[in-house]
Amino acid sequence: MRKKRVLLLSEGFGTGHTQAAYALSVGLRQLSPHLQARVIELGTFLNPVIGPLVLSAYRRTVSKQPKLVGRIYRSYYDKGLNRVTRFALHRLFYGHVSNVVQQLKPDVIVCTHPFPNAVVSRLKQLGLKIPLLTVITDYDAHGTWTNPEVDKYLVSTQSVRNKLVARGITPDRVEVTGIPVHPNFWSPHNRAEILEQFELSDMPTVLIMGGGWGLLSSDQLLDYMTSYADNVQLIFCLGSNDKTREKLLADSRFRHPNIKVMGFTKEVSKLMDVSELLVTKPGGMTCTEGMAKGIPMLFYEPIPGQEEENLDYFVTQGFGELLMSTETVDRWFRLIQEPYKANQHRDSLLAIRNAEYTPAKCAETVLGLLEKN
């Protein structure tokens, strides 16, 4: 019998979209080992020279002109991609994607970014019969995600589902699954083994994430966190942000024995398991991973638009708060030094998670839909 095939299409505008695609791919194969799943980041795959340049320009715009990004987000909030954008995507990618689909012969296509979603929707207009699933990777429903040709939307929350239905999408085409996370986040790891692997101390620990979009712009807050290093272990996880990592390593304040400065790692799930607090930007993917682990979060510098919506959701649900001042640092850094209170708080977050989110559900839903076709 022919193995089922899933083609997952993403785009690199922000790391969360492609992370979600890979997480879903691995989750599907863990639940169904004989399944074939392929992830393609469309722009980079089809235009390996131009694609990275476009992504770099986008990142600079987000970093240097966040208010402009927010205005654009709000201006097009209730609109799909305009005709000019659709035409450009059609001309750039239509023939290539059509060839990829013909070669890979997927049984279902899953898109985790609006651009490939629009391209595949165009192919379906022209006769493609393969089911199209769209995974919305934030806690909001921007209009650019929506296309009449999408067979099923997989969304993070009931609120996002309600927004899509209010736009005229029939309720049977929208299912609340939560954003997919890698199976490493589905269950806890052994604490003692993690401490030994990363050469960490068994003490209250804060995980501070600062990858592609940079770390806290406030040196004052970063400096203030280091003042707790005698009693609180600080793990700075900086991804591929080598510039910031080198800057911290050159600073004597960050060479304390209880401060660990790390580059890229695929084992964030383990670091979350041994941390009592996560400090991060409110990206949909990282926050969902934090929720899966039941770790309280402090959010910094949301990008206007979807990150503000993500922030609102997680604060409302009780998973954390906006990092505003040294007083916020004091309150949380003191809390995690009280083991009973810290454990009690994490247990309460896990209870909320169990009520609101099942880490494997998105993969289970895609697998169920695939088996029906």
Side-chain angles (χ1 to χ4, degrees), residues 108-255:
V108 65
I109 298 173
V110 181
C111 291
T112 61
H113 188 278
F115 285 2
N117 186 52
V119 173
V120 177
S121 293
R122 174 66 176 170
L123 290 176
K124 286 176 70 70
Q125 283 180 13
L126 298 173
L128 182 68
K129 301 300 182 184
I130 300 170
L132 171 59
L133 309 181
T134 295
V135 178
I136 297 181
T137 55
D138 281 300
Y139 290 78
D140 195 19
H142 196 275
T144 54
W145 286 99
T146 59
N147 288 288
E149 295 76 23
V150 175
D151 295 282
K152 182 80 74 171
Y153 293 90
L154 307 180
V155 303
S156 53
T157 65
Q158 184 63 41
S159 174
V160 174
R161 182 179 187 272
N162 293 342
K163 290 178 180 181
L164 292 177
V165 171
R167 287 201 178 106
I169 296 169
T170 55
D172 62 297
R173 290 171 57 211
V174 190
E175 188 161 349
V176 179
T177 63
I179 297 172
V181 293
H182 193 283
N184 287 343
F185 293 87
W186 294 2
S187 56
H189 304 84
N190 182 282
R191 180 180 179 86
E193 291 177 0
I194 299 169
L195 295 177
E196 182 179 2
Q197 177 184 349
F198 290 99
E199 300 179 338
L200 298 170
S201 300
D202 190 2
M203 62 187 296
T205 300
V206 178
L207 176 60
I208 302 149
M209 304 284 289
W213 302 114
L215 197 54
L216 272 160
S217 61
S218 171
D219 288 336
Q220 178 193 5
L221 284 175
L222 283 178
D223 293 345
Y224 193 72
M225 288 181 191
T226 65
S227 70
Y228 275 87
D230 288 339
N231 300 305
V232 174
Q233 186 167 231
L234 303 175
I235 304 174
F236 289 88
C237 190
L238 302 175
S240 57
N241 193 336
D242 294 332
K243 183 178 179 180
T244 300
R245 183 167 62 88
E246 291 170 4
K247 176 184 175 183
L248 296 190
L249 289 172
D251 189 327
S252 59
R253 289 168 296 186
F254 292 86
R255 293 199 292 269

Side-chain angles (χ1 to χ4, degrees), residues 46-47 87-96:
L46 298 177
N47 293 287
F87 178 73
L89 291 171
H90 174 73
R91 292 296 298 270
L92 283 171
F93 298 124
Y94 166 76
H96 299 294

Side-chain angles (χ1 to χ4, degrees), residues 340-354:
Y340 177 77
K341 287 185 178 180
N343 291 335
Q344 192 176 45
H345 186 71
R346 192 154 190 169
D347 287 344
S348 71
L349 294 185
L350 286 169
I352 297 171
R353 183 209 71 179
N354 292 338

